[in-house]
Amino acid sequence: MSRRRRRLLPYLPLALGAAVMLFPLWWMLVISLETPGRAGAAAAGGGIDWFPADPQWRNYAEALAQLGTRRWQGFLDALANSVVVTALTVVGQVLSCSLVGYGFARIRFRGSRLLFVVMLATMMLPPQVTMIPLFLLFRSLGWVDTILPLVVPAFFGNAFFIFLFRQFFAQVPEALVEAARIDGYGHLGIWWRVMLPLCRPVIAICAVFTFIFAWNDFLAPLIYLHGEEQATLAVALNSFRNQYGGLEDVHLLMAVSIVTMVPCIALFFVAQKQFVEGLGKGAVKG
Amino acid sequence: MAEIRLDQVAKVYPGGVRAVDRVDLVVADGEFVVLVGPSGCGKSTTLRMVAGLEEISEGTIAIDGRVVNEVPPKDRDIAMVFQNYALYPHMTVRRNLAFGLERRRRHRGLLARFGAAARTERAAIERRIEETAALLGIAALLERKPGQLSGGQRQRVAVGRAIVRDPAAFLFDEPLSNLDAKLRVEMRAELKALHRRLGATTLYVTHDQEEAMTLGDRLVVMKDGVVQQVAPPAEVYDRPANRFVAGFVGTPPMNFLAGRLEAADGCLRPAPGGDEVIGLRPDALAPLAPGAAPPPGRILLEGEVVTIDHLGDRADVFFRLDGREGLFICRAPARPPVAEGARARFTADPAAAHRFAAGETGARLGSASP
């Protein structure tokens, strides 16, 4: 076997794996470009074309216009809602997790270890367990039908990201913190001006994961937001299902789904360098 | 500039370990005092207590006449240079220098950040940075980040960050220990010149006694948290307060000889007995050419040469003294009249010998006498 072939060999299983992973995406793309009849047949298990014979690009415009009951307005509302909820969630998560992580890494206080363990233990709690108590709490606060239940919890941290930030901050040399103290900064100043700029890879991880989760979150908006004009994109997609749960316009659903995915994919590519660096750091230093 | 005064200062860790024990010290206005001692002697802890980075367990520390025990580091008007430089890696050199100055400006409230006064102040900060950069020869590096600088350049920036604030006192925590030997000597000379120029009150920590000797107006030699001697470098070398100081200061270290000196054949020879330890610096010993008669009245040591380190302009002769354990060192001129493995004699002026008590404290008793 030539050296060139031997070098290519490891890429074979990787390419195979990538093909398997990418197939659903390809399927979505193909269906989104089919005519209603062929798309319906494919969704019913009739097999699909690998390449649509007559790509229906107007499916996209039609799909976005038909989202919800108000032409175009439904899509624009859902997009705006998703952007606002996701942006606030990302900001809240990065700020709160990094601040708490800094506290655990750099401030010595009685019971900090116990608190850290309790905080980690919250990772073991499945979200289904807290769903009903949280709903009752937010209802008693009068927050149902507002975005507050989706956004405010992000400002109270997340155990996994706090852990990630703490591990990173613990590696920063103590002298850097001491130099900033002598330069006149307190803990908040050190966190904001020295630590946050240093932990860009961890911020990237936290932001990307949170973005993907918040952008795609279906359950929480479904529980807390009831009006059509309040729906996020993930919930609004549901308007393509009929009242019996059947799919009539599957090609339109796929078109909007592709559009919905674009920001996540774009963000990943933009943050890829920091992201991979951060994951590596977490693995080595953790 | 200001005076730093330590009065019965102690650091006691949980569990009762006394890292620093009742230190009394006054660093006069403009003085350069070096805390020196082996690892774990409490010198860095003492410095960190002065900086406010470590709590004081007992005693008081006063800077410029004000007791600062409860004052946070930022309000002590001190600047510190750290061993690993502690430059902010995400900031340019200019921003590193400006960081502390900007904080002081912000401290005055929101209104002080805008308007003509704020602009004047910003211009003053810029001017101060340019002056400091010019003083340290780092003007060309102002827009670089620390990662793009060499070790020596980083050290200069770290010193610059201390100078730029014009503090009451400078604290240095082993600032040269991360540099290679050649650069260390260069930086040492630069620091000395800088101190002469600025006349700043300086407290400097090092474990390198050579660095301490060359830099300090006075040395504070510490061991196990206790100050052993506070004196100018020459006095520490010539009249060490005890055996520890005598052994720690000076390279190669002082030779110690338990016993006393006895007159025999016109010379002084070591003899067992007595409760003293005789100390002889390697450069006080001189090898005697084979067959030559020892000058009368001098100390005479006889033994076997184990090895000779030829250092170009001089040679260190390691020899084993008859009936004694351990190696003795004689710093001789180049090409000494002795050979490895052969017997040799060494003489010394009795006035150059030191006498110490034989006990654990090893206190200085004076010069040698028969």
Side-chain angles (χ1 to χ4, degrees):
Chain A
M1 197 184 290
S2 75
R3 184 189 281 186
R4 190 182 148 82
R5 280 193 186 170
R6 219 174 310 149
R7 228 181 22 222
L8 287 176
L9 207 62
Y11 289 97
L12 201 70
L14 289 176
L16 208 68
V20 171
M21 302 302 277
L22 284 173
F23 176 73
L25 201 65
W26 181 249
W27 190 87
M28 281 172 72
L29 195 66
V30 169
I31 297 283
S32 74
L33 293 171
E34 292 282 19
T35 57
R38 293 186 69 85
I48 61 160
D49 301 324
W50 283 104
F51 298 97
D54 178 20
Q56 306 289 306
W57 294 104
R58 64 170 188 278
N59 283 356
Y60 279 80
E62 200 182 326
L64 298 182
Q66 283 189 24
L67 198 67
T69 53
R70 296 158 300 146
R71 202 166 167 75
W72 282 104
Q73 198 57 45
F75 168 69
L76 293 176
D77 277 350
L79 181 66
N81 292 336
S82 278
V83 167
V84 169
V85 167
T86 305
L88 288 174
T89 308
V90 168
V91 169
Q93 200 79 278
V94 169
L95 290 181
S96 62
C97 293
S98 59
L99 187 61
V100 178
Y102 173 84
F104 277 127
R106 289 294 170 182
I107 303 174
R108 269 173 270 165
F109 57 94
R110 200 182 287 267
S112 70
R113 280 187 167 203
L114 178 73
L115 272 180
F116 188 62
V117 171
V118 170
M119 192 266 312
L120 285 182
T122 62
M123 278 203 283
M124 315 297 166
L125 222 55
Q128 291 83 348
V129 172
T130 56
M131 201 189 297
I132 292 172
L134 273 179
F135 179 79
L136 296 176
L137 173 72
F138 291 138
R139 195 180 59 177
S140 68
L141 290 171
W143 286 4
V144 173
D145 277 331
T146 71
I147 62 165
L148 293 176
L150 310 184
V151 169
V152 171
F155 284 82
F156 287 85
N158 164 292
F160 175 69
F161 295 128
I162 290 173
F163 176 75
L164 218 56
F165 274 108
R166 179 197 174 270
Q167 295 306 94
F168 188 89
F169 288 145
Q171 305 290 328
V172 175
E174 181 68 21
L176 220 53
V177 175
E178 291 177 341
R181 280 176 68 193
I182 289 176
D183 272 339
Y185 291 84
H187 282 304
L188 274 178
I190 294 169
W191 163 70
W192 182 252
R193 292 177 180 279
V194 179
M195 290 300 202
L196 274 187
L198 286 179
C199 69
R200 277 202 299 246
V202 187
I203 291 178
I205 290 179
C206 179
V208 170
F209 275 143
T210 306
F211 181 96
I212 292 172
F213 173 79
W215 188 260
N216 294 331
D217 189 20
F218 176 72
L219 196 58
L222 187 72
I223 294 172
Y224 293 109
L225 305 175
H226 299 134
E228 188 193 301
E229 60 287 351
Q230 289 177 320
T232 57
L233 273 175
V235 176
L237 284 178
N238 222 27
S239 67
F240 286 108
R241 287 171 168 273
N242 63 24
Q243 58 180 319
Y244 308 109
L247 284 168
E248 282 159 4
D249 298 319
V250 67
H251 58 299
L252 301 184
L253 177 63
M254 289 307 133
V256 185
S257 299
I258 295 261
V259 172
T260 309
M261 281 171 64
V262 167
C264 294
I265 295 170
L267 182 75
F268 186 81
F269 278 111
V270 169
Q272 192 187 25
K273 188 171 159 254
Q274 303 258 330
F275 191 68
V276 172
E277 188 186 331
L279 280 180
K281 271 197 174 121
V284 175
K285 291 183 175 174
Chain B
M1 289 302 151
E3 175 194 271
I4 302 173
R5 182 179 287 271
L6 282 75
D7 190 15
Q8 291 287 299
V9 169
K11 177 72 191 178
V12 186
Y13 284 111
V17 179
R18 293 182 82 85
V20 175
D21 197 7
R22 292 185 292 262
V23 170
D24 285 314
L25 176 68
V26 178
V27 184
D29 188 7
E31 195 182 16
F32 197 126
V33 169
V34 180
L35 295 170
V36 63
S39 297
C41 73
K43 55 191 188 300
S44 279
T45 309
T46 307
L47 188 84
R48 290 168 59 79
M49 284 194 283
V50 175
L53 299 172
E54 201 86 54
E55 270 180 40
I56 303 162
S57 309
E58 295 165 17
T60 55
I61 294 179
I63 298 174
D64 207 8
R66 178 174 67 126
V67 173
V68 294
N69 283 32
E70 304 298 327
V71 177
K74 65 186 169 74
D75 298 327
R76 294 192 181 198
D77 198 15
I78 44 106
M80 186 157 165
V81 178
F82 293 85
Q83 182 175 358
N84 58 3
Y85 320 129
L87 300 176
Y88 309 115
H90 56 293
M91 298 182 194
T92 59
V93 170
R94 184 187 294 280
R95 283 212 58 212
N96 262 285
L97 296 180
F99 196 58
L101 296 174
E102 279 173 2
R103 177 61 186 166
R104 270 153 184 78
R105 191 165 65 83
R106 279 201 193 93
H107 233 50
R108 281 177 228 129
L110 206 60
L111 281 177
R113 295 192 205 179
F114 305 101
R119 271 199 300 280
T120 317
E121 215 167 341
R122 267 200 295 272
I125 288 176
E126 276 305 311
R127 207 169 40 246
R128 183 104 190 96
I129 290 170
E130 301 288 345
E131 281 169 11
T132 307
L135 178 71
L136 292 165
I138 52 171
L141 312 174
L142 281 175
E143 305 313 323
R144 292 205 203 159
K145 289 197 173 164
Q148 300 166 300
L149 306 178
S150 68
Q153 289 170 333
R154 281 183 214 182
Q155 188 54 58
R156 279 199 187 87
V157 176
V159 173
R161 193 170 62 178
I163 292 175
V164 79
R165 291 206 352 238
D166 195 19
F170 290 106
L171 309 176
F172 290 86
D173 190 4
E174 309 217 21
L176 305 184
S177 57
N178 281 1
L179 303 178
D180 62 53
K182 186 169 171 282
L183 202 54
R184 204 179 309 156
V185 174
E186 275 175 34
M187 282 302 293
R188 205 196 284 164
E190 281 187 30
L191 280 180
K192 205 170 174 178
L194 198 66
H195 177 254
R196 255 202 304 271
R197 192 164 164 179
L198 298 173
T201 309
T202 305
L203 195 53
Y204 187 106
V205 162
T206 180
H207 65 269
D208 181 345
Q209 48 93 17
E210 198 177 306
E211 199 172 300
M213 296 285 281
T214 52
L215 280 173
D217 294 330
R218 281 192 302 153
L219 307 191
V220 179
V221 186
M222 291 183 76
K223 181 197 171 200
D224 298 334
V226 179
V227 171
Q228 305 291 315
Q229 186 171 10
V230 183
E235 190 181 328
V236 170
Y237 187 81
D238 293 337
R239 297 177 56 80
N242 56 39
R243 226 162 58 217
F244 169 77
V245 176
F248 185 76
V249 174
T251 315
M254 186 184 273
N255 301 298
F256 293 110
L257 199 62
R260 57 203 165 82
L261 295 171
E262 229 173 42
D265 307 331
C267 290
L268 296 172
R269 290 171 183 268
D275 48 6
E276 288 183 14
V277 173
I278 307 297
L280 281 166
R281 294 226 177 260
D283 51 9
L285 287 168
L288 204 58
R298 285 179 71 93
I299 299 169
L300 183 69
L301 305 178
E302 285 190 59
E304 183 191 324
V305 176
V306 176
T307 182
I308 303 172
D309 285 353
H310 295 282
L311 304 167
D313 61 334
R314 60 188 195 275
D316 286 342
V317 181
F318 293 78
F319 63 99
R320 201 180 300 283
L321 203 60
D322 293 343
R324 304 274 179 162
E325 283 186 4
L327 289 179
F328 282 65
I329 309 171
C330 162
R331 175 148 285 185
R335 288 176 288 283
V338 292
E340 284 181 4
R343 291 196 57 76
R345 292 175 301 164
F346 301 85
T347 68
D349 183 351
H354 304 262
R355 284 167 54 229
F356 301 101
E360 202 183 327
T361 53
R364 178 184 181 80
L365 300 173
S367 293
S369 59

